[in-house]
Amino acid sequence: MAEEATVCEDRISGLPDDLLVMILDLVPTKDAVATMFLSKRWLSIWTMVRRLEYKDSDDESKKSVWWFLNKSLQLHKAPVINSLCMELGPQCPTSDDVDIGKWVAKAVDCLVDKLKIKLLWSAGPTRLPKSLFSCEYLVELTLSGQILVDVPSSSSSYLPSLTDLQLNCVVYKDEDSLVSFLSSCPILDFLTVKREKDDNVKKFTVKVPSLCDFWYSCGRDDDVVDHTDRCLVVDAPAMSNFRIADFTGASCNVEDMPCLELAQLYVDSCHDDKFLTCFSSVLSLDMYLSDAMIMHCCNTTINFSRLLKLTIRPWGSDWLEPLLLLLGKAPKLKEFLVDYVGLFASQRYIYNNPEDLPFSWNQPSSVPECLSSQLEIFEWIEYGDRVEEKEFLTYILANSKRLKTATISMNADLDIEEQESIIEGLKDIPRVSTTCHLLIK
């Protein structure tokens, strides 16, 4: 019997161009471009993809992606670009031939709605085209590294669709340029700012009525440079989530945020009581209890009337008694966490080693309202069983009448025998709540 011939049918190549473009949008740009070598049918399909990503390798010995980026964008024909990502490292050439602005302008002309530019080269900051700051369709914008934020203070700068903005270690022309940039974003919802400790802006002003989420960080100053002349100013009445991590000693002026749900305050200085007062309406508070914060917790008359969850990361001395004062100002508190690990988990023995935090404990004469009537969840991370710690833990368990769960995580530096001994001792601590489950890790 004659053997039948088997024909391999290329069903993918028979698909419509629009569907092939959708497929190529799902693969890395370099792989999409490589399909041009498959056949004449595929020769120009890649030029219509709407998602473009060009990233230099972390290996500085490898050639920069710039040449590929430059050539492929010259041939690109899509009328619309959904997203463009350009990340260029130190291996990128710094000659006049490297024109980032040209390709940003092209993306703007193609109605780009997601744009990410990261320049980590050794050349000076790059000024982006002014058309970027009046891009009608741009929704998400990320700028990182050697980029000069130069936005004119005029009505020509307007980003009506921008909701998500990230500024990571960029350079600003001046303070007015920053203000103009943010004021040109009428519906901005999410803002992330990461600053170098020595950037050129003294007064960093964020005045955005629509802003809901703000994440701000500034590098720790290991050179002990005085940054008390620097200031962060925030005026965002719609804010729901606020996070600040700043260890440079700069001040922070924040206007009232009545809608605030989450506040994370990782700072080593607190210049006045007004700073904490701005967070009086927060539902969840996560803060470093530095010496400065301890002082203001003791002195301020603020009441956290809506606070349901409190996370404390001890960083100063004698923090136990001020903490009780803070608990007394949070009558509705249901969750309470003590965390020695802190923000910099990999460096906790530089900043948050429990053995470096001397403190004292004196039995208070009264019990905070939240313990006697509200607290349901308590957790202690990196518990070391020092005398004061055990007395404080005993006080919490003896006075938290509605406590449901108490979780204790042992200090990682304790050996197995020490941990076993501590665990046996913890089991014997009386609990006023008959429904409280003690979990020990």
Side-chain angles (χ1 to χ4, degrees):
M1 186 168 58
E3 189 174 313
E4 294 183 359
T6 302
V7 178
C8 294
E9 184 179 0
D10 182 3
R11 295 184 179 180
I12 294 181
S13 295
L15 296 174
D17 286 0
D18 289 349
L19 189 53
L20 292 179
V21 170
M22 290 177 62
I23 294 173
L24 293 187
D25 275 332
L26 301 175
V27 303
T29 300
K30 63 178 181 179
D31 295 335
V33 174
T35 61
M36 66 184 296
F37 299 108
L38 293 176
S39 67
K40 289 184 178 180
R41 172 75 177 89
W42 289 87
L43 187 61
S44 62
I45 296 295
W46 71 270
T47 66
M48 299 300 292
V49 297
R50 293 160 297 212
R51 178 183 171 275
L52 300 168
E53 184 175 272
Y54 305 92
K55 292 185 178 181
D56 272 344
S57 168
D58 292 334
D59 186 353
E60 295 184 15
S61 64
K62 292 187 176 181
K63 187 177 180 180
S64 173
V65 74
W66 170 253
W67 181 89
F68 170 65
L69 180 158
N70 199 36
K71 293 297 183 182
S72 64
L73 284 180
Q74 288 180 26
L75 299 172
H76 199 263
K77 300 176 182 177
V80 174
I81 295 177
N82 290 340
S83 68
L84 172 61
C85 172
M86 297 185 289
E87 296 187 7
L88 303 178
Q91 62 268 52
C92 180
T94 56
S95 64
D96 294 337
D97 294 335
V98 179
D99 189 353
I100 297 295
K102 176 175 63 175
W103 301 125
V104 172
K106 177 172 181 174
V108 171
D109 290 341
C110 292
L111 313 180
V112 65
D113 58 33
K114 295 181 182 179
L115 181 61
K116 181 177 182 179
I117 309 170
K118 183 176 182 180
L119 305 180
L120 299 180
W121 56 29
S122 58
T126 293
R127 180 180 277 102
L128 300 177
K130 296 189 184 303
S131 61
L132 172 64
F133 303 107
S134 58
C135 183
E136 183 178 355
Y137 298 97
L138 192 62
V139 175
E140 298 179 18
L141 175 63
T142 300
L143 304 177
S144 305
Q146 293 286 63
I147 295 174
L148 178 64
V149 175
D150 180 8
V151 182
S153 54
S154 66
S155 58
S156 61
S157 302
Y158 188 55
L159 295 161
S161 303
L162 192 68
T163 61
D164 188 322
L165 174 62
Q166 298 186 45
L167 302 172
N168 300 319
C169 300
V170 297
V171 179
Y172 304 90
K173 179 187 177 184
D174 49 37
E175 295 174 5
D176 290 340
S177 187
L178 169 64
V179 172
S180 296
F181 188 9
L182 296 180
S183 64
S184 68
C185 310
I187 64 169
L188 188 65
D189 178 76
F190 181 82
L191 173 62
T192 297
V193 175
K194 183 178 181 180
R195 298 179 64 188
E196 295 287 3
K197 62 188 180 184
D198 56 352
D199 71 20
N200 61 325
V201 175
K202 295 292 184 182
K203 183 179 180 182
F204 199 99
T205 302
V206 178
K207 187 175 183 179
V208 185
S210 61
L211 193 63
C212 291
D213 292 79
F214 180 44
W215 306 86
Y216 177 90
S217 64
C218 194
R220 185 175 178 85
D221 196 337
D222 298 320
D223 299 326
V224 197
V225 176
D226 183 8
H227 281 309
T228 55
D229 61 336
R230 289 171 38 140
C231 181
L232 170 66
V233 177
V234 180
D235 185 359
M239 189 84 72
S240 59
N241 296 294
F242 180 93
R243 177 187 182 274
I244 177 173
D246 188 347
F247 299 94
T248 64
S251 63
C252 182
N253 297 328
V254 183
E255 295 298 323
D256 288 341
M257 296 177 286
C259 304
L260 198 62
E261 296 181 4
L262 170 66
Q264 294 177 299
L265 311 180
Y266 305 146
V267 297
D268 59 356
S269 61
C270 182
H271 294 271
D272 53 46
D273 292 344
K274 186 177 183 297
F275 176 72
L276 278 179
T277 304
C278 296
F279 302 96
S280 61
S281 62
V282 70
L283 297 177
S284 177
L285 177 61
D286 181 342
M287 63 187 292
Y288 266 148
L289 206 56
S290 63
D291 287 331
M293 284 295 192
I294 287 172
M295 180 184 68
H296 289 289
C297 286
C298 291
N299 297 336
T300 185
T301 58
I302 180 177
N303 286 310
F304 295 92
S305 59
R306 299 175 66 229
L307 190 63
L308 299 177
K309 181 177 181 180
L310 175 64
T311 300
I312 292 297
R313 306 179 191 275
W315 196 14
S317 58
D318 289 327
W319 59 274
L320 288 178
E321 293 183 47
L323 177 56
L324 280 178
L325 292 175
L326 188 58
L327 292 177
K329 299 167 184 176
K332 296 182 180 180
L333 192 69
K334 292 185 178 296
E335 297 184 46
F336 177 33
L337 169 66
V338 176
D339 183 5
Y340 273 128
V341 176
L343 179 63
F344 302 96
S346 62
Q347 305 178 47
R348 66 178 185 270
Y349 297 114
I350 296 177
Y351 301 118
N352 272 16
N353 185 356
E355 298 300 325
D356 293 337
L357 297 178
F359 51 25
S360 59
W361 166 253
N362 294 309
Q363 182 82 5
S365 58
S366 61
V367 178
E369 181 182 348
C370 64
L371 296 187
S372 60
S373 64
Q374 298 294 329
L375 193 67
E376 297 179 354
I377 298 173
F378 174 72
E379 184 173 0
W380 193 317
I381 298 176
E382 290 285 299
Y383 177 80
D385 202 48
R386 287 192 285 174
V387 174
E388 296 84 359
E389 289 178 302
K390 190 169 184 178
E391 289 178 346
F392 179 69
L393 177 59
T394 300
Y395 176 82
I396 293 293
L397 296 181
N399 291 284
S400 301
K401 296 180 180 180
R402 299 187 62 180
L403 197 62
K404 295 179 179 179
T405 305
T407 304
I408 311 299
S409 302
M410 295 290 104
N411 187 316
D413 283 349
L414 298 172
D415 60 37
I416 299 298
E417 292 184 359
E418 288 177 310
Q419 291 190 24
E420 290 178 349
S421 175
I422 292 172
I423 289 172
E424 290 303 314
L426 291 177
K427 291 178 179 179
D428 294 333
I429 297 178
R431 286 161 266 165
V432 67
S433 172
T434 57
T435 60
C436 177
H437 296 282
L438 181 62
L439 304 176
I440 304 175
K441 300 179 181 180

